[in-house]
Amino acid sequence: MFSLVSVEDGSGDVERLADLLVSADNVKAFLDGMTGLGADALTRSTGTRIECAVTLGRRKRTATIGGSSDQAMLLDRIEQTLEQGPCIDAMDSGRPVLLDDALSSPQWSDYCAALAAAGMRSTLGVPMELGRDGAAVLNFFAPAPGTFAREAVTDALSFAGIAGKALRVAIRITALNEATEDLDAAMKSRSIIDTACGVIISQNRCTHEEAFNILRKASNDRNQKLRDLAQRLVDGVGVPKQPANQEA
C-alpha cells in the first residue's frame, strides 16, 4: 500500500487529469473520468475497491452527477433523493464528512439503511474548491466499515485539491462553449428574422421597422414564437399581407 501524496502518484494524477481536459467532449464526460481516477486513487490508498461519485452544481444549471461506475451514480442519487448524508453535509459545510459505519451511525438513519442495503458500509464526502464556478463534492464509497482511516482521508483531500483545479478549468471551457453556442443561436435567429422582414418589405413596400412590427403582431396573434414564424415565412408558408401603415 502506498500513499496518493507521493510524488509519483500525485504527478500521475495531474497528467491523467490534464489528458481528461483535452479528451472529454463535455463536463459530464470529464466528471466520469475524474471520478474514475478518484476511485483508483483511493483503491490504492485503502487496499479496498472504492467507488467514487461527484455532484456538481453550477449557477442556472441543473446539477450534474458523474461516477466511476453505474453503481457509484446510483449510490449518489440515493443521497440526493433522501436529501441527507455525508455528501450533502460536506456541500453545506465546506468540510469533509465521514460516515464510518452505516450500521452503527446515529446520523442519517434513512440514508444509512439504504446505503447498507446497497452493499456499502462507509462513505466519505469531500468538497472541492471551485469558487464562483460552482460547488462540487466527491463521494467515496467502501463496502467495509472503517475503510477511510486518517491516511485515506488525507489522500482523498489531496486528490480533491488536484481534481478541483482541473474541474475549474473544465467548467470554464464548458461555459465558453455554451456561450458560443448561445451566441450562434442568437445570430441565426436574428438572421432569419431579418430575412423574414425583407420578405414583408417586398410584399408591403414598408420600412424595416414596420415590417418587424407586422411580423411581431402576427407572432402575438398566432401565439407563435417570433423566430419560428419568421422561419415559416422564409420557408414559404407566409404571413398574411397587411397594409404597411397598419398599427402593429
Side-chain angles (χ1 to χ4, degrees), residues 223-242:
N223 193 26
Q224 190 173 8
K225 290 182 179 179
L226 186 65
R227 183 197 182 284
D228 292 343
L229 183 59
Q231 184 67 65
R232 286 171 58 85
L233 176 59
V234 171
D235 290 342
V237 175
V239 172
K241 186 175 181 179
Q242 300 180 44

Side-chain angles (χ1 to χ4, degrees), residues 15-74:
E15 291 176 3
R16 287 186 283 271
L17 286 165
D19 289 341
L20 270 178
L21 283 173
V22 174
S23 62
D25 293 331
N26 51 57
V27 73
K28 176 63 167 64
F30 179 83
L31 293 177
D32 288 341
M34 180 187 72
T35 51
L37 293 177
D40 290 344
L42 268 291
T43 295
R44 296 195 306 264
S45 178
T46 63
T48 301
R49 181 59 199 169
I50 303 298
E51 295 291 353
C52 179
V54 63
T55 300
L56 169 65
R58 298 167 56 201
R59 289 177 297 176
K60 299 181 180 180
R61 303 281 178 179
T62 57
T64 305
I65 296 175
S68 56
S69 67
D70 290 342
Q71 181 188 23
M73 289 190 287
L74 175 62

Side-chain angles (χ1 to χ4, degrees), residues 72-102:
M73 289 190 287
L74 175 62
L75 292 167
D76 198 81
R77 288 192 180 98
I78 290 173
E79 187 167 357
Q80 302 305 319
T81 300
L82 294 175
E83 298 183 342
Q84 60 173 245
C87 180
I88 290 176
D89 283 11
M91 179 82 80
D92 291 340
S93 68
R95 298 189 299 271
V97 178
L98 173 65
L99 169 60
D100 202 46
D101 187 357

Side-chain angles (χ1 to χ4, degrees), residues 176-232:
L176 287 172
N177 290 338
E178 290 169 347
T180 299
E181 291 173 359
D182 291 344
L183 180 60
D184 286 344
M187 292 179 67
K188 289 178 182 177
S189 293
R190 178 60 184 268
S191 177
I192 290 169
I193 290 171
D194 283 344
T195 302
C197 285
V199 174
I200 296 173
I201 289 171
S202 66
Q203 291 176 342
N204 293 272
R205 299 182 182 278
C206 60
T207 66
H208 186 278
E209 181 179 0
E210 290 169 335
F212 179 78
N213 288 335
I214 291 172
L215 185 64
R216 183 174 58 185
K217 185 176 186 302
S219 171
N220 292 334
D221 290 345
R222 300 183 184 190
N223 193 26
Q224 190 173 8
K225 290 182 179 179
L226 186 65
R227 183 197 182 284
D228 292 343
L229 183 59
Q231 184 67 65
R232 286 171 58 85

